[in-house]
Amino acid sequence: MRYRSTRQKEYYVTASQAILQGLSADGGLFVPERLPHLSQETLRELSTKSYLERANAVLSLFLDDFTPAEVAHCVKSAYASGRFDSDNIAELRRVGDAYLLELWHGPTCAFKDMALQLLPYLLTTSMKKVAPDKRVAILVATSGDTGKAALEGFRDVPDTDIIVFYPEDGVSPMQKRQMTTQEGENVAVCAIKGNFDDAQTGVKKIFTDRALESKLAAHGVSFSSANSINWGRLVPQIVYYVSAYCELLDRGEITMGEEMNVAVPTGNFGNILAAYYAKRIGVPIGRLICASNRNDVLTEFIRTGVYNKNRQFYTTISPSMDILISSNLERLLFHLSGEDDETIRNWFASLSETGKYKVSGTVYEKIAEGFYAGSCTDEETQATIHDTFVEQGYLCDTHTAVAVKVYRDYLRETGDTRKTVIASTASPYKFSANVLRAIAQAESEDEFEQLSQLERVSGVPAPRQLSALKEKPVRFSETVEPAEMPQVVLEHLLRS
Ligand SMILES: *Cc1c(COP(=O)(O)O)cnc(C)c1O
């Protein structure tokens, strides 16, 4: 199966090349040339199998230049390493009239682990095929969750190095601590003086610095990216939607062919796009419910067909969804426009020139048919955490709560009572301060005190990897100007 760019559909690469390259040179994203199919018979077979076996089946459909042994090696290394605190990898819990799909049982307590535990193995396997005997250096600019998940995924993976830049004052104390105490021989973490955009711009400059590139090439090192535009991050996410359906089948909560809806707290549109792909390959999925926080650019788009990023940016209590340009939407539009690369080029040129674009009537109709969208303010997020805890005894984080609230609105508006799976994207303890404030009065300003208080108030134990951070020594305390970032990269990569 070949992959092609959304902006130049005659440009084909293999799955391995797509994963290594990340982004196509024309600025487009890689998508599969045609989508594979999972038959009901296969779904039924998978329903009695483990998460790892389901992952092997789904990944093999998409990564056809990987041998079955290579796929199995990647999957086992990612999910059977003891780094997930649940053998089921993703837990499906019935809460009220919905099912919460807990995707945060990995080492960093956010759903990014589902893909970033696997990506390093997909990447090094691809490397062996495309460019053997090389090292790959991953550069990440992060506003919090991605950086830590990428560090944990790549730590001590042979033939890789990883360097993460974060804005000095732009991440939460817990997120900062998670990164500065990172263990591993091949990792580096550095704060920069500036905001997230400065970090992101600095990383992009390094990616296109030809002098730096040839200096590193002489040492057999090349750069790659771990952010969510990489196909290697999307395909592991398709697995858990397939797995959730199998789980419902296995528990007898759904009959074969009966549709389930999926609700997702959305930022960059990666997670919900994975659910769309699951539907396209044959999982019986009804509506895709796209939930936004106060940065509701996607809600407006899905309701009107107009994407307009010219709006106020809000900092919310669900920071991983604070985003105005949802990159992965481009893949959806490519499919819905009948793979019309010229149209995609025009829309995205318009986005970069004017900050907006309007899709055609046919594309808009397809979106309206498949998707529902809604948004949620911080006050509503906290009220949802409170009510879900009091009424159902379930503690959810600030991102998951956004999806729970939007799903409730959907249910009220449509009366659609099909079984619904809500993606639960982070442990409540990753955002202790705001979760605690939703259910009790905080007794302290200290993040670790708040974590302990949340444990006492809720009776839900905190993941050990978060509470243990308090005792861990800080390994990385460097802060640099953005202009010094290339120097940091060189020093780390050419250390002996
Ligand atoms: C990244 C993230 C999201 C948003 O996911 P997208 O794939 O970017 O839409 C939601 N919740 C949490 C906790 C995240 O870390």
Side-chain angles (χ1 to χ4, degrees):
M1 178 196 297
R2 296 184 299 175
Y3 286 75
R4 51 168 39 166
S5 163
T6 49
R7 297 196 192 174
Q8 198 188 333
K9 68 178 178 188
E10 264 71 58
Y11 180 59
Y12 288 106
V13 296
T14 62
S16 299
Q17 287 169 325
I19 291 170
L20 270 183
Q21 252 176 270
L23 189 71
S24 172
D26 51 41
L29 308 187
F30 290 116
V31 292
E33 175 186 15
R34 67 197 147 68
L35 292 170
H37 186 67
L38 261 183
S39 66
Q40 295 203 341
E41 197 185 320
T42 311
L43 279 174
R44 200 186 307 280
E45 269 167 33
L46 291 176
S47 69
T48 57
K49 300 275 173 66
S50 68
Y51 191 87
L52 273 73
E53 288 170 293
R54 293 170 187 165
N56 285 337
V58 175
L59 290 175
S60 302
L61 291 176
F62 285 100
L63 309 179
D64 71 346
D65 62 339
F66 281 48
T67 65
E70 285 171 337
V71 169
H73 166 74
C74 292
V75 165
K76 191 164 170 244
S77 307
Y79 299 126
S81 60
R83 289 184 183 174
F84 283 77
D85 68 17
S86 154
D87 289 340
N88 297 327
I89 309 301
E91 288 287 345
L92 189 65
R93 272 185 222 291
R94 172 125 208 194
V95 178
D97 36 46
Y99 297 84
L100 286 189
L101 180 60
E102 294 178 350
L103 302 170
W104 40 265
H105 290 280
T108 78
C109 306
F111 91 95
K112 304 286 194 294
D113 288 330
M114 300 299 292
L116 280 165
Q117 283 293 305
L118 186 55
L119 181 67
Y121 300 99
L122 299 180
L123 206 101
T124 47
T125 307
S126 300
M127 196 85 182
K128 285 197 193 101
K129 294 177 191 298
V130 179
D133 308 321
K134 284 241 179 116
R135 280 184 79 77
V136 55
I138 306 294
L139 295 188
V140 181
T142 185
S143 58
D145 288 344
T146 299
K148 176 61 184 178
L151 285 163
E152 271 303 316
F154 280 93
R155 73 184 258 198
D156 295 327
V157 172
D159 304 320
T160 72
D161 284 290
I162 175 161
I163 306 166
V164 170
F165 293 99
Y166 69 92
E168 189 177 22
D169 302 314
V171 300
S172 79
M174 186 67 89
Q175 287 173 324
K176 181 169 179 172
R177 189 126 194 129
Q178 275 191 308
M179 292 191 279
T180 56
T181 58
Q182 178 65 44
E183 292 163 357
E185 291 306 311
N186 62 340
V187 305
V189 175
C190 184
I192 64 134
K193 293 185 187 124
N195 59 25
F196 171 68
D197 284 331
D198 299 318
Q200 173 106 12
T201 306
V203 163
K204 280 192 186 150
K205 267 194 197 146
I206 295 173
F207 272 129
T208 51
D209 181 336
R210 295 295 158 236
L212 191 68
E213 182 183 282
S214 52
K215 200 181 269 182
L216 289 172
H219 292 81
V221 178
S222 62
F223 288 125
S224 189
S225 141
N227 71 27
S228 76
I229 48 163
N230 193 320
W231 179 254
R233 272 192 61 181
L234 268 184
V235 67
Q237 297 183 231
I238 301 172
V239 175
Y240 49 72
Y241 293 110
V242 173
S243 181
Y245 193 80
C246 290
E247 210 55 43
L248 289 174
L249 271 179
D250 190 42
R251 295 186 196 170
E253 311 244 2
I254 217 166
T255 55
M256 177 53 84
E258 185 183 340
E259 286 180 342
M260 66 176 188
N261 294 324
V262 174
V264 184
T266 302
N268 214 10
F269 210 76
N271 203 358
I272 193 165
L273 184 71
Y276 168 80
Y277 280 122
K279 178 174 178 171
R280 288 287 308 272
I281 67 172
V283 180
I285 292 176
R287 268 304 183 77
L288 296 166
I289 299 164
C290 177
S292 300
N293 63 25
R294 197 175 171 201
N295 295 296
D296 57 356
V297 61
L298 282 168
T299 307
E300 182 182 277
F301 173 67
I302 290 170
R303 290 185 181 175
T304 66
V306 177
Y307 195 98
N308 184 358
K309 76 171 178 77
N310 303 316
R311 59 179 67 224
Q312 168 105 35
F313 175 85
Y314 297 105
T315 301
T316 72
I317 60 171
S318 41
S320 304
M321 297 160 67
D322 291 345
I323 196 160
L324 292 182
I325 300 186
S326 299
S327 324
N328 273 299
L329 191 59
E330 180 167 345
R331 287 187 164 108
L332 177 74
L333 297 178
F334 180 74
H335 294 301
L336 296 186
S337 66
E339 317 204 318
D340 184 349
D341 53 348
E342 190 186 342
T343 296
I344 298 297
R345 282 198 300 274
N346 291 339
W347 289 344
F348 283 84
S350 165
L351 181 67
S352 66
E353 282 152 26
T354 67
K356 58 182 179 179
Y357 59 86
K358 181 175 194 287
V359 299
S360 66
T362 40
V363 168
Y364 170 67
E365 278 162 29
K366 287 184 197 163
I367 291 173
E369 192 186 306
F371 290 82
Y372 169 91
S375 65
C376 179
T377 64
D378 279 354
E379 292 70 33
E380 291 168 325
T381 303
Q382 296 216 299
T384 304
I385 293 172
H386 176 268
D387 296 351
T388 309
F389 180 67
V390 171
E391 289 158 23
Q392 265 100 34
Y394 186 85
L395 193 63
C396 62
D397 96 291
T398 50
H399 302 75
T400 306
V402 169
V404 170
K405 187 267 178 189
V406 171
Y407 169 62
R408 291 197 184 137
D409 292 345
Y410 173 75
L411 195 58
R412 206 168 343 98
E413 275 173 40
T414 63
D416 176 358
T417 55
R418 281 177 286 189
K419 304 262 167 29
T420 297
V421 167
I422 301 174
S424 174
T425 52
S427 156
Y429 285 99
K430 191 145 190 187
F431 302 93
S432 294
N434 284 310
V435 172
L436 176 63
R437 241 168 255 140
I439 64 169
Q441 189 92 39
E443 287 160 4
S444 162
E445 283 304 305
D446 177 83
E447 191 103 7
F448 290 98
E449 291 296 324
Q450 290 169 340
L451 183 143
S452 309
Q453 192 192 344
L454 186 55
E455 279 191 306
R456 287 194 304 276
V457 175
S458 71
V460 179
R464 252 192 40 79
Q465 60 269 46
L466 292 182
S467 44
L469 281 176
K470 195 177 174 180
E471 314 302 333
K472 281 209 172 166
V474 168
R475 291 184 66 206
F476 302 98
S477 51
E478 194 179 11
T479 304
V480 303
E481 295 289 344
E484 297 169 293
M485 289 166 63
Q487 197 51 38
V488 173
V489 170
L490 271 178
E491 273 166 25
H492 178 66
L493 295 181
L494 303 184
R495 75 200 182 281
S496 40

